Amino acid sequence: PTAGAWEKMTPEQQSRLTDLANVVKEYLADKDVAQAVKVIDDAELEAEPKIALWTLFDSKARSALKREKQESALRNGGQI
């Protein structure tokens, strides 16, 4: 479902998403996955840009982000 998502973004969107991904990757490198998830959530991306952003992470990063999102939801009473 992510095929072509990046190519659909304008150059401005790609630049913004690349900057966002770099910030997220810095938090992941520091093992602060919760803050990485918060940065993505705070960006309030619509579906297509979020999918495009997702393509900038490797499977290990995507798994860590998904896991933190799920664990956060459980800590907060099931709200994702």
Side-chain angles (χ1 to χ4, degrees), residues 2 7-8 11 20 42 44 51-53 56-57 71 75 77:
T2 61
E7 292 76 18
K8 292 178 185 174
L20 181 60
D42 287 351
E44 297 182 343
I51 292 168
L53 175 68
L56 300 178
F57 302 117
E71 290 172 4
R75 288 191 302 267

Side-chain angles (χ1 to χ4, degrees), residues 56-69:
L56 300 178
F57 302 117
D58 62 24
S59 63
K60 184 177 176 182
R62 289 191 304 266
S63 293
L65 292 166
K66 283 182 189 177
R67 187 170 42 255
E68 175 59 31
K69 188 81 169 171

Side-chain angles (χ1 to χ4, degrees), residues 23-41:
V23 171
V24 170
K25 288 174 183 178
E26 286 178 25
Y27 282 118
L28 292 174
D30 290 342
K31 307 287 190 234
D32 192 349
V33 184
Q35 188 62 34
V37 169
K38 183 178 183 330
V39 167
I40 294 171
D41 288 346

